[in-house]
Amino acid sequence: MDVALVNGRVMTDQGLAHGLAVRLSGGRIAAVGPADEVAANARPHDLAGGLLLPGFIDIQVNGGGGALFNDAPTAKTIAAIGRAHRRFGTTGFLPTLISDELPAVEAAIAGVQAAIAGGVPGVLGVHIEGPFLNPKRKGIHELSKLRRIDEAAFELLTSLKAGRTLVTLAPETTNPEMIGRLVAAGVVVSAGHTNASYATVRSALDRGLSGFTHLFNAMAPLTSREPGVVGAALEDAASWCSIIVDGHHVDPVVLRVALRCKPLDRFILITDAMPSVGSDSVSFVLQGKTIAVKDGVCVDEHGTLAGSDLDMAGAVRNAVSLLGLSLAEASRMASRNPAEFLGLGDVMGRIAPGYRGDLVLLDEGLQVLDTWIGGEAASAPGDALPGRAVHG
C-alpha cells in the first residue's frame, strides 16, 4: 500500500511549505500536494511537525562506523559505511578511495559494482581520489602511491558498469586530451590536490573538467598575479565546487567570500568523512599513519588534516550557522546540487513527483529523526528511527 507522509513541513523548490503531504509508491515519490488529496487511500505516516528534506547526497565518503574503504574495498565495507552515514541523513553516497595502487582501484570498483548489484542502500557509484595528484599538494595522500594516468589506468577508470564514477585528479599531471577522453567515457572529472596554473585549469575546463574537490584545500591559491586553481574555480560559473564546512578545513569567512563569487547552485556540501563518523573511535590507521580524532578534527602526528569527522547533517547545520545560508540553500547544497553534478538531477535531490523516495526528516535543531531510501524508512539496528534523534 502507498504511504503518505503527513503533518510535516516539506522542502519544495520554493522552500519549506506547510500543509503538504508526500506520497511514496514503488520506491518513488508519487505525488506532492494538499494532504487531503495526496493521502487518500494511502497509509499515513505522521511526521509530527518535522522538517522533510530531500535526502543528503555525499560525494566524498572515505569511511564511517569504524570502517575505511581503503582497508577493505568490498560491498560489506560499503554497506557498513552507508549504515553509519544514514544515521546523519545521507541517503546517497560515493565510497571514496584515497590514492592507492591500481590493483586497489580495481578492487574498489569491483566492490562498488557488487554493492550496487546487491542492493546496498544509498551507494551511487565510486569516487577515486587520486593517485593522479601533484606531490606538492598531496596532503595526507601517500607520496609513493602517486602516478600519472596511462592507458591501463584509463581502462580501469572507465570500467564501472553501474553507477557514477567520479575521479579527482591534478590537471597538470595529465593533458586536456586525457581529460576529454575520460569525460566522453562517462567519468565525472574534478580537480583536486593540484598545483596547476590558471591556464592549465582553464584548458581542462574546456575539455570537460566539471568540478573542484574540497575548494581551497590542497590546491594552488588565488594570488595577485596568478589566479591559480581557486581563481579558476571561482571565475567559472558552470563548474561545481565541493566544500567542507566544519570550521577547520576552511575559515568560514573565506567560504562566505567564495559563495559570493558564483551561483550558490554550484556549491556542494561534502564530508570527506573518515571511520570516526558514527563511531566512538578516537583514532584510526590510514596507510600506516595513525590518525588522531579530537574535537572534530582528524590529523596525523605532524598535524596534517586527514579527511574529517564531519557528517552531512552537521555540514547542513554549519552551512546555516557559519555561512549564514537559509535552510533551503543549505538543503540544496546537500541534495540537488550533488545530484545534478553527478548527472542524477532528473531522479534524485528533490521532493517532486517521479523522483526517488530518498528523504530525511529533521527536528527544529536540524538533527536527524528518520530517513527513507527508495521509499523505505530506516529500520535496521543503528539506523535512525522515527521519534529518536541521532546527534552528530
Side-chain angles (χ1 to χ4, degrees):
M1 187 176 186
D2 290 1
V3 174
L5 307 180
V6 299
N7 191 26
R9 286 164 287 171
V10 179
M11 185 63 73
T12 68
D13 292 347
Q14 291 73 43
L16 280 175
H18 297 259
L20 297 183
V22 176
R23 189 180 184 114
L24 301 176
S25 178
R28 293 190 176 271
I29 298 171
V32 181
D36 57 347
E37 298 176 10
V38 171
N41 301 315
R43 178 168 58 85
H45 182 108
D46 191 348
L47 302 181
L51 309 172
L52 190 68
L53 275 58
F56 303 145
I57 299 171
D58 191 350
I59 62 173
Q60 190 158 353
V61 185
N62 310 297
L68 180 67
F69 191 45
N70 275 72
D71 284 350
T74 64
K76 182 178 179 180
T77 299
I78 293 168
I81 293 171
R83 284 194 300 271
H85 283 271
R86 184 171 183 174
R87 295 172 57 201
F88 306 104
T90 296
T91 60
F93 68 103
L94 296 183
T96 300
L97 189 80
I98 296 166
S99 293
D100 214 323
E101 306 292 345
L102 289 189
V105 176
E106 183 176 14
I109 292 172
V112 168
Q113 189 76 46
I116 293 174
V120 172
V123 59
L124 303 178
V126 69
H127 181 173
I128 306 299
E129 188 189 14
F132 319 105
L133 310 178
N134 191 317
K136 294 181 179 179
R137 298 286 179 178
K138 68 180 184 65
I140 199 64
H141 290 245
E142 177 60 44
L143 180 62
S144 65
K145 308 291 186 185
L146 304 188
R147 53 169 292 151
R148 300 180 72 87
I149 299 179
D150 55 18
E151 287 302 312
F154 173 82
E155 293 298 325
L156 189 54
L157 294 175
T158 57
S159 65
L160 184 66
K161 303 304 181 185
R164 295 295 192 264
T165 299
L166 169 61
V167 173
T168 290
L169 54 76
E172 70 273 25
T173 67
T174 183
N175 56 63
E177 290 70 30
M178 176 59 75
I179 291 172
R181 289 178 62 196
L182 287 169
V183 172
V187 175
V188 181
V189 181
S190 185
H193 292 272
T194 167
N195 208 39
S197 66
Y198 170 86
T200 297
V201 178
R202 186 63 258 170
S203 294
L205 287 165
D206 292 341
R207 295 304 292 265
L209 180 99
S210 58
F212 294 87
T213 297
H214 43 58
L215 183 68
F216 294 108
N217 295 115
M219 60 178 58
L222 170 68
T223 65
S224 60
R225 295 183 179 85
E226 169 50 59
V229 180
V230 170
L234 295 181
E235 181 201 42
D236 186 76
S239 58
W240 308 79
C241 297
S242 69
I243 54 176
I244 306 173
V245 189
D246 62 355
H248 305 293
H249 276 75
V250 186
D251 191 287
V253 172
V254 175
L255 288 176
R256 291 198 295 269
V257 170
L259 295 179
R260 298 177 184 178
C261 293
K262 61 194 297 181
L264 287 180
D265 64 9
R266 284 300 183 267
F267 288 91
I268 296 170
L269 297 180
I270 60 169
T271 64
D272 200 10
M274 285 298 191
S276 55
V277 174
S279 167
D280 294 329
S281 63
V282 296
S283 68
F284 58 90
V285 176
L286 172 64
Q287 296 178 329
K289 304 183 186 76
T290 297
I291 309 299
V293 184
K294 185 177 181 181
D295 298 328
V297 183
C298 302
V299 293
D300 69 4
E301 62 179 340
H302 304 295
T304 301
L305 287 169
S308 85
D309 190 41
L310 181 67
D311 60 76
M312 281 299 284
V316 169
R317 291 194 298 272
N318 290 343
V320 172
S321 64
L322 299 180
L323 304 186
L325 298 178
S326 69
L327 178 58
E329 291 168 334
S331 172
R332 175 161 182 151
M333 290 166 64
S335 55
R336 186 171 178 176
N337 292 2
E340 292 183 352
F341 172 60
L342 294 178
L344 298 171
D346 57 342
V347 293
M348 301 180 67
R350 298 172 61 211
I351 300 180
Y355 278 67
R356 255 178 53 163
D358 294 353
L359 307 163
V360 57
L361 182 66
L362 305 178
D363 65 14
E364 292 293 338
L366 306 186
Q367 302 286 348
V368 176
L369 296 172
D370 200 6
T371 58
W372 289 258
I373 296 180
E376 295 292 327
S379 58
D383 285 342
L385 298 175
R388 187 185 77 207
V390 178
H391 301 276

